[in-house]
Amino acid sequence: MKKNKIKVVGLFSGCGGLDLGFKQAGYDIIWANDILKDACETYKVNIGDHIINEDITKVDLDSIPKADVIIGGPPCQGFSGIGKRDPNDNRSALVYSYLDVVNKVQPKIFLFENVTGIKSSKAADGTKVIDNLNEAFQKIGYHINIHTLNAADYGVPQKRKRVFIIGNKFEVDINAPTQTHSEKDSNKKKWISSFEAISDLESPTDDGLVKYTKQPSCEYQSLMRKNSTETTLQITPYSSPTDKEIIKHVKPGGNYMDIPDEVSTKRIMYFKSTGGRTTTYGRLDPKMPNYTLNTHFNRPNIGCNIHYEEDRMITIREGLRFQSFPDDFHLISKTKRNYYVQVGNAVPPLLSRAWADHLQKYLTAERISKTSSTNNLNPSLLET
């Protein structure tokens, strides 16, 4: 089975971060969906026109083609640690729409991505959502493994932890992809720092179009610039006069605790008195990866979104760099808000690529098994 013959269906694809990694690995993505029109337009430009702009609950399951692999991450706000974790949130129920599609299509492998909050979230009856999903997937014929991965361990300049549920028809344990990067393990490459992620980009311009005037200083920059001589969306986000004053006081790697009381808002003073919220009003540490990028990275009060050197918020293009989207990836959006939604909700393509390369051997082993006229996989084919 050649890579480009492995058929993939993408669910809740957004602008295509998860799908892009599989496309880069040579998989054939034949169908995808998302409810956000701007995300679908972005997907069409960068990945393919096979995406359907529709609510998955309204899609005729018979219209979804058969595939070897299903990938996707249902909306995570209902499970996010910064949300209310409302068991009645309809977005939480969409995880079961994913299950319905898997049950209908019956792929050999599925990959389900979500925030770590899903592990502790509960259904309306008090049971754990992830336990219910595990049981439900097993009932429709899948062997399940669950892994929590940090994107920084796979070459993404962002400490973004996500849960992956992997189901397979082969009745084998599928382990996590081998880590390529580490904060401390000298046998692996070092985590990609914020400086390495974006330091080769020129300062923002009015139209966001910038040519490269600096040579790439590391492997990551070369990878991001591989097919480009210039890039777009390098526009400084708007900041209010109050935010501009606040930003000046935050040191690299610092947060709201650096802001003098005399310029602090009531909200900042409340944070100071109650503690926690490490990334709030955070400025990037140039020596470390960024924290988790969210859908509000144009604002200082949600996440670590202040440039490590310049007194400004990071740009959309810099956000794309922190998510490991290449510089030739173009975003389509009719609103400023949806630029940030598309980027912040995406799965980092480099993390997706790690999964795509890793799962290839399981599908190859299945092909070898069929060629050998045996119904069971040879475990030796799956050794890492």
Side-chain angles (χ1 to χ4, degrees):
M1 184 183 292
K2 295 181 179 179
K3 284 185 180 180
N4 61 6
K5 296 298 182 181
I6 301 175
K7 307 297 183 184
V8 178
V9 160
L11 304 177
F12 308 97
S13 294
C15 70
L18 188 57
D19 300 50
L20 181 59
F22 276 76
K23 180 181 179 179
Q24 290 172 339
Y27 289 70
D28 183 13
I29 306 175
I30 58 174
W31 191 92
N33 95 290
D34 199 79
I35 197 170
L36 184 64
K37 182 174 177 57
D38 285 342
C40 291
E41 294 304 312
T42 293
Y43 189 105
K44 289 176 183 178
V45 169
N46 295 280
I47 300 173
D49 60 5
H50 51 265
I51 191 167
I52 307 299
N53 177 210
E54 184 58 275
D55 182 339
I56 192 64
T57 64
K58 298 178 181 178
V59 172
D60 179 3
L61 297 185
D62 289 329
S63 70
I64 303 176
K66 294 296 181 182
D68 303 294
V69 181
I70 286 179
I71 59 176
C76 62
Q77 289 89 342
F79 305 125
S80 174
I82 63 173
K84 295 180 180 179
R85 298 195 188 186
D86 183 356
N88 299 311
D89 191 328
N90 290 333
R91 294 169 299 184
S92 303
L94 289 173
V95 299
Y96 295 101
S97 294
Y98 183 106
L99 186 145
D100 290 340
V101 176
V102 170
N103 191 29
K104 179 66 177 179
V105 176
Q106 291 287 309
K108 297 166 186 172
I109 288 176
F110 71 80
L111 182 66
F112 175 109
E113 178 267 353
N114 221 282
V115 294
T116 56
I118 195 174
K119 295 194 295 184
S120 56
S121 291
K122 294 184 178 181
D125 62 0
T127 57
K128 285 191 173 183
V129 169
I130 198 161
D131 292 340
N132 296 342
L133 278 172
N134 192 345
E135 181 180 353
F137 280 126
Q138 289 185 51
K139 283 183 177 179
I140 62 174
Y142 287 88
H143 184 89
I144 302 299
N145 294 101
I146 301 173
H147 301 287
T148 301
L149 305 185
N150 186 343
D153 292 334
Y154 297 89
V156 179
Q158 183 187 169
K159 293 181 282 187
R160 187 184 189 95
K161 291 185 178 180
R162 288 295 183 265
V163 170
F164 291 88
I165 302 176
I166 306 93
N168 74 85
K169 289 284 192 179
F170 312 139
E171 297 186 356
V172 298
D173 284 330
I174 294 183
N175 58 351
T178 302
Q179 294 180 16
T180 55
H181 295 67
S182 174
E183 180 180 13
K184 298 179 180 179
D185 189 343
S186 60
N187 294 317
K188 294 180 174 63
K189 297 178 181 179
K190 288 185 178 181
W191 276 352
I192 306 299
S193 70
S194 296
F195 181 85
E196 292 172 312
I198 63 174
S199 62
D200 62 313
L201 294 173
E202 294 298 309
S203 293
T205 62
D206 289 340
D207 63 2
L209 179 64
V210 294
K211 294 183 179 295
Y212 306 126
T213 62
K214 306 172 186 176
Q215 291 298 314
S217 63
C218 62
E219 182 181 356
Y220 185 79
Q221 293 176 4
S222 295
L223 179 62
M224 293 298 100
R225 293 164 54 160
K226 185 176 181 180
N227 299 312
S228 306
T229 58
E230 61 184 20
T231 192
T232 57
L233 299 171
Q234 186 67 350
I235 306 170
T236 305
Y238 168 81
S239 293
S240 69
T242 299
D243 283 344
K244 287 181 179 179
E245 180 62 29
I246 286 171
I247 286 170
K248 293 177 183 178
H249 297 280
V250 182
K251 64 185 179 183
N255 59 18
Y256 64 92
M257 292 299 293
D258 297 324
I259 303 167
D261 290 352
E262 56 267 25
V263 298
S264 294
T265 62
K266 289 183 179 180
R267 189 165 187 256
I268 293 173
M269 293 303 293
Y270 174 76
F271 291 162
K272 288 183 178 183
S273 66
T274 56
R277 305 174 183 86
T278 304
T279 64
T280 304
Y281 290 95
R283 187 187 284 269
L284 297 166
D285 182 340
K287 297 180 181 179
M288 295 293 291
N290 196 0
Y291 291 97
T292 301
L293 197 78
N294 57 49
T295 61
H296 295 281
F297 65 91
N298 59 319
R299 295 164 54 182
N301 61 333
I302 303 178
C304 184
N305 304 316
I306 305 172
H307 191 275
Y308 55 78
E309 185 176 57
E310 300 179 12
D311 288 334
R312 61 173 176 83
M313 308 304 296
I314 59 174
T315 67
I316 298 169
R317 176 55 59 187
E318 288 165 344
L320 286 162
R321 277 282 188 100
F322 284 119
Q323 283 280 59
S324 75
F325 281 93
D327 285 358
D328 63 346
F329 191 91
H330 301 289
L331 289 177
I332 307 297
S333 182
K334 292 183 179 179
T335 68
K336 289 183 179 180
R337 176 75 190 122
N338 280 344
Y339 281 117
Y340 295 94
V341 168
Q342 291 182 67
V343 179
N345 279 338
V347 176
L350 280 183
L351 178 56
S352 171
R353 177 65 186 270
W355 272 115
D357 289 338
H358 181 61
L359 294 178
Q360 172 66 22
K361 66 180 179 181
Y362 294 91
L363 294 158
T364 300
E366 189 261 351
R367 176 186 64 80
I368 294 172
S369 176
K370 283 187 175 181
T371 303
S372 302
S373 299
T374 178
N375 294 325
N376 296 313
L377 282 174
N378 180 348
S380 65
L381 295 173
L382 302 176
E383 292 179 357
T384 55

